[in-house]
Amino acid sequence: MTSQTRPASPVLEIIEAELPAGTVLHLWLKARKIGDEAKLSVTLDRSEIAGPSTRRAEEFEFFAVTLGTTGRTVLAYDAETTALSVAYAFHPHTVLEEGIRVLHHDVRTAPPEVPGSYHFRPPFGWMNDPNGFGRFKGLGHLFYQHYPHGLRWNTMHWGHAVSKDWIRWTHLSMFLFPADHLSEKDDGRGGAFSGSAVPVSGTDGDDIRVFYTEHVRDREPEEQIQLSAVSRDGIVAGPSEVILPIRPQGLNLTTDFRDPYVFKGPDGRWKMLLGSRDRSGGVVLLYETADLQGATGWTFLDIIHREDGFGMTAAECPCMLPVGGMADDPETRWALIFGLLTSRDPATGRRNLTSVTVGRFDGRAFTAEFEQELDFGSDAYAFQAFVDGDEPVGIAWLANWTDFSKKDDFPTAMTLPRRVLLDGGAVLTPPVAAVESLRHRLLDETALAAGETVPLESGAVEIVLALPGAGAAFELVLDHPDVALGVRLDDEGLAILFDAGTGKPPPRYLASGARPSQLRIFLDAGSIEVFADNGRWTGTKRIPGFAAARSARLTGAVKGAKIWQLKI
């Protein structure tokens, strides 16, 4: 008698959803091991349509499936041979209003479960720099550096979301994908790096033209080149074309050549800034084109700014915008903002600072008048802004590369969006007015000022302090389960007090010499943001984990103190 070994029964994973005709499914599959074939069946009202399959085992492969009819859709796959990273559905006609419907993502790549949180986070996966922050056809758009399959930096895509008020966001489908050959392996060789977006005239109103750096590690002769693509529908980017294939010659630039930021100059022409580095430190490069579509004719003009402070290497994520007036007014000042990669302030130990320099810009040359640090907490990196109507608005990545580890998951958020104002010899970055719509309930207006300990409930709060005079000393102690946290004002200046208890002395998050009289302090799961005197001094600090601060206690005399419970 002979015996036969029966094949193991499939370990079926099944996802069901009612979806209308015309729905698009985005799916990422890979085989569990080399030699396996990953398969996913798609059944619509018991009728199977062609499901995707792949033998790729190192990195997930992307597939798009369009449903022809309305009905109950079932996705099924054998979990022993097939790994499904992400599956979401959307209808192209309604996605700008309704967003995507996430059907599946890996447990580890899910956003944190913090129902009261009010900061922007991706629906799954890794996020860093904001890209293409702007308003198109009346709707605010945020693109961002994104890796959908993990919480660690890897091959870069562009994620995408839209908002009517910069606070409440609707997640959209993936906007930009890395080149096919970069997506074959899980090795972070490059991808669609940071950039910007501008409106250009199209057949049905303004289209969105995006500019970005394609990075390919060890590519010759250039690791980093600049590409552009157009989106006709505001949902997906069309084919990309190379617009700058090589760095300017004769300037002894390193291979750093990235983060194109495009804007209208005072002469009405499109300008482009790029971050780079030469033997002396960071440099910002200026290009321009007479092409109204921004598609061709980009010409290098000059290095418009140099910065070698604090041991920095390259200038990163530059942006430039008029402040305190219209772009075509010769009296208007311009603010040049960029990150100082690898910089370290010896006085405080803070790393990767962000600088804003204000001066005159005639479209070809920039003459600096003064500069200041954009954020004394230093966790508002890759700040990107644009002129929204008649006033600049910006947003930044709420993190710092110093804290990042390739060995650990690193979930992050975006900062609160901020206005960019010029007040005499200072740049102010207060939060946008829409943040006041987050005020759900007044928790306290007497106890904190009286020195009592006030419970913070969900921990998502805004604390508003009015001091008896400019620079009046106080200390706000925040009881947090994971870190020592607080805010202090004394003779040294304004400080965010933070210690994660690692045994190493933490940096000092200090605005030296600051003497504010009013403060707004925003606490959320994973962050604290301080805006003093309408953003004259702004400090942002990422908090590891997503535990909530439990209570607040204040020492020092104040004129008034309020605590608002915040809620989306």
Side-chain angles (χ1 to χ4, degrees):
M1 185 175 180
T2 60
S3 63
Q4 289 184 320
T5 302
R6 292 187 176 185
S9 299
V11 181
L12 285 180
E13 295 284 346
I14 297 175
I15 303 165
E16 299 183 49
E18 288 283 341
L19 300 171
T23 293
V24 178
L25 301 175
H26 281 183
L27 313 158
W28 281 264
L29 303 174
K30 73 174 180 179
R32 289 286 185 187
K33 58 184 178 181
I34 295 174
D36 281 351
E37 182 180 11
K39 295 181 179 180
L40 186 141
S41 68
V42 182
T43 304
L44 182 61
D45 276 347
R46 301 182 182 179
S47 298
E48 187 168 341
I49 62 178
S53 65
T54 180
R55 291 191 178 276
R56 184 188 290 180
E58 291 192 56
E59 179 61 292
F60 291 95
E61 186 170 357
F62 169 73
F63 297 92
V65 177
T66 301
L67 305 181
T69 58
T70 299
R72 187 172 68 96
T73 302
V74 178
L75 311 180
Y77 61 97
D78 180 356
E80 289 194 347
T81 60
T82 302
L84 176 65
S85 171
V86 174
Y88 59 76
F90 66 95
H91 199 291
H93 294 162
T94 59
V95 67
L96 286 171
E97 295 78 32
E98 299 175 357
I100 60 173
R101 179 178 174 183
V102 179
L103 305 175
H104 169 85
H105 53 61
D106 187 273
V107 173
R108 192 176 61 83
T109 63
E113 294 185 6
V114 281
S117 181
Y118 52 90
H119 282 80
F120 177 85
R121 293 186 178 89
F124 43 76
W126 163 274
M127 177 183 73
N128 57 290
D129 303 355
N131 302 144
F133 187 59
R135 188 179 295 277
F136 306 96
K137 297 181 180 177
L139 198 58
H141 287 248
L142 171 64
F143 306 92
Y144 54 91
Q145 292 285 274
H146 188 36
Y147 178 67
H149 312 308
L151 290 173
R152 304 175 193 179
W153 185 94
N154 207 303
T155 306
M156 285 292 99
H157 305 55
W158 273 30
H160 189 194
V162 291
S163 174
K164 295 179 180 179
D165 63 1
W166 307 120
I167 300 296
R168 296 158 181 86
W169 294 93
T170 299
H171 296 294
L172 301 188
S173 53
M174 200 71 65
F175 185 80
L176 267 180
F177 293 80
D180 289 342
H181 68 282
L182 295 174
S183 297
E184 294 173 354
K185 294 184 178 181
D186 177 18
D187 61 0
R189 288 179 296 157
F193 275 31
S194 290
S196 57
V198 298
V200 293
S201 59
T203 55
D204 298 318
D206 284 344
D207 296 332
I208 302 175
R209 177 173 287 280
V210 298
F211 302 84
Y212 68 98
T213 298
E214 182 188 69
H215 177 90
V216 179
R217 193 174 64 214
D218 299 327
R219 176 172 57 188
E220 295 291 345
E222 297 286 1
E223 287 192 352
Q224 299 179 352
I225 60 176
Q226 315 314 316
L227 282 73
S228 183
V230 171
S231 175
R232 308 292 181 195
D233 58 8
I235 301 168
V236 64
S240 295
E241 297 181 353
V242 177
I243 56 170
L244 292 178
I246 195 165
R247 289 166 287 169
Q249 301 300 294
L251 299 179
N252 293 316
L253 299 179
T254 64
T255 57
D256 300 288
F257 179 54
R258 58 179 178 270
D259 310 333
Y261 176 80
V262 175
F263 64 105
K264 276 284 180 70
D267 54 7
R269 289 192 172 191
W270 289 120
K271 311 292 177 179
M272 180 191 294
L273 304 181
L274 285 153
S276 189
R277 175 189 178 192
D278 65 12
R279 293 177 181 177
S280 299
V283 296
V284 179
L285 312 175
L286 176 65
Y287 287 74
E288 75 168 11
T289 181
D291 179 6
L292 297 178
Q293 299 293 309
T296 60
W298 286 100
T299 303
F300 175 65
L301 296 180
D302 205 351
I303 293 174
I304 64 162
H305 191 71
R306 293 180 175 273
E307 184 69 60
D308 62 357
F310 304 110
M312 69 175 291
T313 51
E316 277 201 316
C317 302
C319 82
M320 194 174 196
L321 55 156
V323 286
M326 303 302 291
D328 58 358
D329 184 345
E331 296 303 311
T332 295
R333 303 300 199 273
W334 290 71
L336 172 62
I337 304 169
F338 59 92
L340 282 62
L341 183 63
T342 72
S343 58
R344 182 182 184 277
D345 177 10
T348 62
R350 294 170 304 127
R351 302 293 301 269
N352 296 306
L353 310 177
T354 297
S355 171
V356 52
T357 303
V358 173
R360 304 277 186 173
F361 178 58
D362 64 4
R364 301 181 70 87
F366 177 66
T367 305
E369 296 179 355
F370 71 89
E371 68 176 309
Q372 69 182 62
E373 192 174 345
L374 192 70
D375 191 291
F376 71 86
S378 68
D379 281 1
Y381 197 70
F383 187 86
Q384 187 170 103
F386 78 105
V387 178
D388 187 18
D390 58 1
E391 185 175 87
V393 174
I395 198 168
W397 183 40
L398 209 164
N400 193 295
W401 288 115
T402 301
D403 300 325
F404 163 70
S405 167
K406 292 183 178 180
K407 298 179 180 180
D408 299 309
D409 290 348
F410 193 68
T412 60
M414 293 296 179
T415 65
L416 286 174
R418 300 163 183 189
R419 303 160 67 199
V420 184
L421 311 175
L422 181 64
D423 183 10
V427 173
L428 283 57
T429 53
V432 296
V435 300
E436 293 189 13
S437 70
L438 295 170
R439 292 176 176 176
H440 178 62
R441 184 164 60 91
L442 184 62
L443 288 182
D444 171 65
E445 57 181 336
T446 57
L448 186 66
E452 299 176 24
T453 298
V454 181
L456 297 182
E457 298 191 5
S458 72
V461 298
E462 177 190 357
I463 301 173
V464 182
L465 301 179
L467 306 182
F474 74 87
E475 183 167 333
L476 178 70
V477 177
L478 301 165
D479 177 25
H480 192 282
D482 297 333
V483 300
L485 187 66
V487 179
R488 176 193 294 156
L489 179 62
D490 59 18
D491 290 342
E492 281 194 290
L494 177 64
I496 295 174
L497 308 175
F498 175 86
D499 190 341
T502 62
K504 298 179 181 179
R508 300 176 66 219
Y509 301 101
L510 175 69
S512 182
R515 291 178 53 80
S517 57
Q518 295 181 326
L519 296 97
R520 299 174 70 184
I521 300 165
F522 290 83
L523 280 169
D524 196 5
S527 67
I528 181 172
E529 292 172 273
V530 178
F531 301 92
D533 280 3
N534 198 35
R536 169 60 185 88
W537 296 280
T538 297
T540 307
K541 184 71 192 79
R542 176 182 180 268
I543 302 170
F546 296 98
R550 294 175 290 210
S551 65
R553 181 172 53 82
L554 184 70
T555 58
V558 297
K559 282 203 311 183
K562 292 183 179 181
I563 304 178
W564 293 91
Q565 184 75 54
L566 303 186
K567 185 178 180 181
I568 286 287

Short mmCIF file of all heavy atoms in Angstrom, two decimals, residues 493-530:
data_model
loop_
_atom_site.label_atom_id
_atom_site.label_comp_id
_atom_site.label_asym_id
_atom_site.label_seq_id
_atom_site.Cartn_x
_atom_site.Cartn_y
_atom_site.Cartn_z
N GLY A 493 16.04 82.62 28.10
CA GLY A 493 15.13 82.65 26.96
C GLY A 493 14.01 81.64 27.12
O GLY A 493 13.70 81.21 28.24
N LEU A 494 13.41 81.28 26.02
CA LEU A 494 12.28 80.36 26.00
C LEU A 494 12.77 78.97 25.62
O LEU A 494 13.47 78.81 24.62
CB LEU A 494 11.24 80.85 25.00
CG LEU A 494 10.01 79.97 24.79
CD1 LEU A 494 9.17 79.87 26.06
CD2 LEU A 494 9.16 80.51 23.63
N ALA A 495 12.37 77.95 26.41
CA ALA A 495 12.88 76.60 26.17
C ALA A 495 11.76 75.58 26.23
O ALA A 495 10.83 75.69 27.04
CB ALA A 495 13.95 76.25 27.20
N ILE A 496 11.86 74.58 25.38
CA ILE A 496 11.09 73.35 25.52
C ILE A 496 11.96 72.39 26.32
O ILE A 496 13.10 72.09 25.92
CB ILE A 496 10.73 72.73 24.16
CG1 ILE A 496 9.80 73.65 23.38
CG2 ILE A 496 10.09 71.35 24.33
CD1 ILE A 496 9.50 73.18 21.97
N LEU A 497 11.46 71.94 27.45
CA LEU A 497 12.21 71.02 28.30
C LEU A 497 11.87 69.60 27.89
O LEU A 497 10.70 69.20 27.91
CB LEU A 497 11.85 71.26 29.77
CG LEU A 497 11.96 72.71 30.26
CD1 LEU A 497 11.45 72.82 31.69
CD2 LEU A 497 13.39 73.22 30.14
N PHE A 498 12.89 68.84 27.50
CA PHE A 498 12.64 67.50 26.98
C PHE A 498 13.79 66.59 27.35
O PHE A 498 14.95 66.93 27.12
CB PHE A 498 12.48 67.53 25.45
CG PHE A 498 12.34 66.17 24.83
CD1 PHE A 498 11.09 65.56 24.75
CD2 PHE A 498 13.44 65.50 24.33
CE1 PHE A 498 10.96 64.29 24.18
CE2 PHE A 498 13.33 64.24 23.77
CZ PHE A 498 12.08 63.63 23.69
N ASP A 499 13.48 65.42 27.90
CA ASP A 499 14.49 64.42 28.21
C ASP A 499 13.82 63.05 28.09
O ASP A 499 12.88 62.74 28.81
CB ASP A 499 15.05 64.61 29.62
CG ASP A 499 16.28 63.74 29.88
OD1 ASP A 499 16.49 62.76 29.15
OD2 ASP A 499 17.02 64.04 30.84
N ALA A 500 14.31 62.25 27.14
CA ALA A 500 13.74 60.93 26.90
C ALA A 500 14.29 59.87 27.83
O ALA A 500 13.91 58.70 27.73
CB ALA A 500 13.96 60.52 25.45
N GLY A 501 15.22 60.26 28.73
CA GLY A 501 15.75 59.30 29.70
C GLY A 501 16.66 58.25 29.11
O GLY A 501 16.71 57.12 29.60
N THR A 502 17.42 58.62 28.09
CA THR A 502 18.33 57.66 27.46
C THR A 502 19.65 57.52 28.19
O THR A 502 20.45 56.64 27.87
CB THR A 502 18.62 58.08 26.01
OG1 THR A 502 19.28 59.37 26.02
CG2 THR A 502 17.34 58.17 25.20
N GLY A 503 19.90 58.41 29.16
CA GLY A 503 21.18 58.41 29.86
C GLY A 503 22.17 59.38 29.26
O GLY A 503 23.20 59.68 29.87
N LYS A 504 21.88 59.87 28.04
CA LYS A 504 22.73 60.86 27.40
C LYS A 504 22.11 62.24 27.59
O LYS A 504 20.89 62.38 27.53
CB LYS A 504 22.87 60.56 25.91
CG LYS A 504 23.52 59.22 25.60
CD LYS A 504 23.60 59.01 24.10
CE LYS A 504 24.23 57.67 23.76
NZ LYS A 504 24.28 57.44 22.28
N PRO A 505 22.95 63.27 27.80
CA PRO A 505 22.39 64.61 27.94
C PRO A 505 21.64 65.01 26.67
O PRO A 505 22.21 64.93 25.57
CB PRO A 505 23.62 65.50 28.16
CG PRO A 505 24.69 64.56 28.64
CD PRO A 505 24.42 63.24 27.97
N PRO A 506 20.39 65.42 26.77
CA PRO A 506 19.64 65.81 25.56
C PRO A 506 20.06 67.19 25.08
O PRO A 506 20.64 67.98 25.85
CB PRO A 506 18.19 65.82 26.05
CG PRO A 506 18.30 66.16 27.50
CD PRO A 506 19.57 65.51 27.98
N PRO A 507 19.79 67.51 23.82
CA PRO A 507 20.01 68.89 23.37
C PRO A 507 19.15 69.86 24.18
O PRO A 507 18.16 69.47 24.81
CB PRO A 507 19.57 68.85 21.90
CG PRO A 507 19.63 67.42 21.51
CD PRO A 507 19.29 66.64 22.75
N ARG A 508 19.53 71.12 24.15
CA ARG A 508 18.72 72.17 24.80
C ARG A 508 17.92 72.87 23.70
O ARG A 508 18.49 73.48 22.79
CB ARG A 508 19.62 73.16 25.53
CG ARG A 508 20.47 72.51 26.62
CD ARG A 508 21.42 73.52 27.25
NE ARG A 508 20.68 74.55 27.97
CZ ARG A 508 21.01 75.84 27.98
NH1 ARG A 508 22.03 76.27 27.26
NH2 ARG A 508 20.31 76.70 28.68
N TYR A 509 16.61 72.77 23.80
CA TYR A 509 15.74 73.37 22.80
C TYR A 509 15.39 74.77 23.28
O TYR A 509 14.38 74.99 23.95
CB TYR A 509 14.51 72.48 22.60
CG TYR A 509 14.92 71.09 22.15
CD1 TYR A 509 14.95 70.03 23.05
CD2 TYR A 509 15.32 70.86 20.83
CE1 TYR A 509 15.35 68.77 22.64
CE2 TYR A 509 15.73 69.61 20.42
CZ TYR A 509 15.75 68.56 21.33
OH TYR A 509 16.15 67.32 20.93
N LEU A 510 16.24 75.73 22.91
CA LEU A 510 16.23 77.06 23.51
C LEU A 510 16.20 78.14 22.44
O LEU A 510 17.00 78.12 21.50
CB LEU A 510 17.48 77.24 24.38
CG LEU A 510 17.71 78.62 24.99
CD1 LEU A 510 16.66 78.92 26.05
CD2 LEU A 510 19.12 78.71 25.58
N ALA A 511 15.28 79.10 22.60
CA ALA A 511 15.30 80.35 21.84
C ALA A 511 15.99 81.38 22.73
O ALA A 511 15.35 82.02 23.58
CB ALA A 511 13.88 80.78 21.49
N SER A 512 17.28 81.51 22.54
CA SER A 512 18.09 82.35 23.43
C SER A 512 17.64 83.81 23.37
O SER A 512 17.48 84.39 22.29
CB SER A 512 19.56 82.24 23.04
OG SER A 512 20.37 83.01 23.90
N GLY A 513 17.42 84.39 24.56
CA GLY A 513 17.07 85.80 24.64
C GLY A 513 15.62 86.12 24.36
O GLY A 513 15.24 87.30 24.41
N ALA A 514 14.80 85.12 24.08
CA ALA A 514 13.39 85.38 23.78
C ALA A 514 12.68 85.96 25.01
O ALA A 514 12.88 85.48 26.13
CB ALA A 514 12.71 84.09 23.34
N ARG A 515 11.83 86.97 24.77
CA ARG A 515 11.08 87.60 25.86
C ARG A 515 9.62 87.80 25.44
O ARG A 515 9.15 88.93 25.28
CB ARG A 515 11.72 88.94 26.24
CG ARG A 515 13.08 88.80 26.89
CD ARG A 515 13.71 90.17 27.20
NE ARG A 515 12.81 91.04 27.96
CZ ARG A 515 12.63 90.97 29.27
NH1 ARG A 515 13.29 90.04 29.97
NH2 ARG A 515 11.81 91.80 29.89
N PRO A 516 8.90 86.73 25.25
CA PRO A 516 7.51 86.87 24.81
C PRO A 516 6.60 87.28 25.96
O PRO A 516 6.95 87.19 27.13
CB PRO A 516 7.17 85.46 24.32
CG PRO A 516 8.02 84.57 25.19
CD PRO A 516 9.31 85.33 25.37
N SER A 517 5.38 87.70 25.59
CA SER A 517 4.36 88.00 26.59
C SER A 517 3.12 87.13 26.42
O SER A 517 2.26 87.11 27.31
CB SER A 517 3.97 89.48 26.52
OG SER A 517 3.52 89.81 25.23
N GLN A 518 3.02 86.41 25.29
CA GLN A 518 1.89 85.51 25.06
C GLN A 518 2.40 84.23 24.42
O GLN A 518 3.31 84.26 23.59
CB GLN A 518 0.85 86.17 24.15
CG GLN A 518 0.17 87.38 24.75
CD GLN A 518 -0.86 87.98 23.82
OE1 GLN A 518 -0.72 87.96 22.62
NE2 GLN A 518 -1.93 88.51 24.41
N LEU A 519 1.78 83.10 24.78
CA LEU A 519 2.19 81.80 24.23
C LEU A 519 0.97 80.95 23.94
O LEU A 519 -0.04 80.99 24.65
CB LEU A 519 3.09 81.04 25.21
CG LEU A 519 4.44 81.66 25.52
CD1 LEU A 519 4.37 82.44 26.82
CD2 LEU A 519 5.52 80.59 25.59
N ARG A 520 1.08 80.17 22.87
CA ARG A 520 0.13 79.11 22.56
C ARG A 520 0.93 77.82 22.45
O ARG A 520 1.87 77.73 21.65
CB ARG A 520 -0.61 79.39 21.25
CG ARG A 520 -1.42 80.66 21.28
CD ARG A 520 -2.01 80.97 19.92
NE ARG A 520 -3.08 80.03 19.56
CZ ARG A 520 -3.70 80.04 18.38
NH1 ARG A 520 -3.33 80.93 17.45
NH2 ARG A 520 -4.67 79.18 18.12
N ILE A 521 0.56 76.84 23.25
CA ILE A 521 1.30 75.58 23.33
C ILE A 521 0.35 74.46 22.91
O ILE A 521 -0.69 74.25 23.54
CB ILE A 521 1.83 75.35 24.76
CG1 ILE A 521 2.76 76.50 25.16
CG2 ILE A 521 2.53 74.00 24.87
CD1 ILE A 521 3.04 76.57 26.64
N PHE A 522 0.71 73.75 21.84
CA PHE A 522 -0.12 72.68 21.31
C PHE A 522 0.50 71.33 21.65
O PHE A 522 1.65 71.05 21.25
CB PHE A 522 -0.25 72.82 19.79
CG PHE A 522 -1.08 73.99 19.36
CD1 PHE A 522 -0.52 75.26 19.26
CD2 PHE A 522 -2.43 73.84 19.06
CE1 PHE A 522 -1.28 76.35 18.86
CE2 PHE A 522 -3.19 74.93 18.66
CZ PHE A 522 -2.61 76.18 18.57
N LEU A 523 -0.26 70.52 22.37
CA LEU A 523 0.16 69.15 22.71
C LEU A 523 -0.68 68.18 21.91
O LEU A 523 -1.90 68.35 21.76
CB LEU A 523 -0.04 68.88 24.20
CG LEU A 523 1.01 69.42 25.17
CD1 LEU A 523 0.50 69.28 26.59
CD2 LEU A 523 2.33 68.67 25.01
N ASP A 524 -0.02 67.13 21.42
CA ASP A 524 -0.72 66.06 20.71
C ASP A 524 0.04 64.77 20.95
O ASP A 524 1.17 64.79 21.49
CB ASP A 524 -0.79 66.38 19.21
CG ASP A 524 -1.82 65.54 18.45
OD1 ASP A 524 -2.55 64.77 19.11
OD2 ASP A 524 -1.90 65.66 17.22
N ALA A 525 -0.54 63.67 20.56
CA ALA A 525 0.17 62.40 20.66
C ALA A 525 1.43 62.49 19.79
O ALA A 525 1.34 62.63 18.58
CB ALA A 525 -0.72 61.26 20.17
N GLY A 526 2.58 62.46 20.42
CA GLY A 526 3.84 62.46 19.67
C GLY A 526 4.46 63.81 19.42
O GLY A 526 5.47 63.89 18.71
N SER A 527 3.91 64.91 19.99
CA SER A 527 4.52 66.21 19.67
C SER A 527 4.11 67.30 20.63
O SER A 527 3.08 67.21 21.31
CB SER A 527 4.14 66.65 18.24
OG SER A 527 2.76 66.93 18.16
N ILE A 528 4.95 68.36 20.66
CA ILE A 528 4.64 69.62 21.31
C ILE A 528 5.09 70.74 20.37
O ILE A 528 6.17 70.67 19.77
CB ILE A 528 5.29 69.76 22.70
CG1 ILE A 528 4.92 71.09 23.35
CG2 ILE A 528 6.81 69.58 22.62
CD1 ILE A 528 5.37 71.20 24.81
N GLU A 529 4.24 71.76 20.20
CA GLU A 529 4.58 72.93 19.39
C GLU A 529 4.28 74.18 20.21
O GLU A 529 3.20 74.31 20.79
CB GLU A 529 3.76 72.95 18.10
CG GLU A 529 4.13 71.83 17.14
CD GLU A 529 3.20 71.75 15.95
OE1 GLU A 529 2.16 71.06 16.06
OE2 GLU A 529 3.49 72.38 14.91
N VAL A 530 5.24 75.10 20.23
CA VAL A 530 5.14 76.33 21.02
C VAL A 530 5.20 77.52 20.07
O VAL A 530 6.14 77.63 19.27
CB VAL A 530 6.27 76.42 22.06
CG1 VAL A 530 6.19 77.73 22.84
CG2 VAL A 530 6.23 75.22 23.01
#
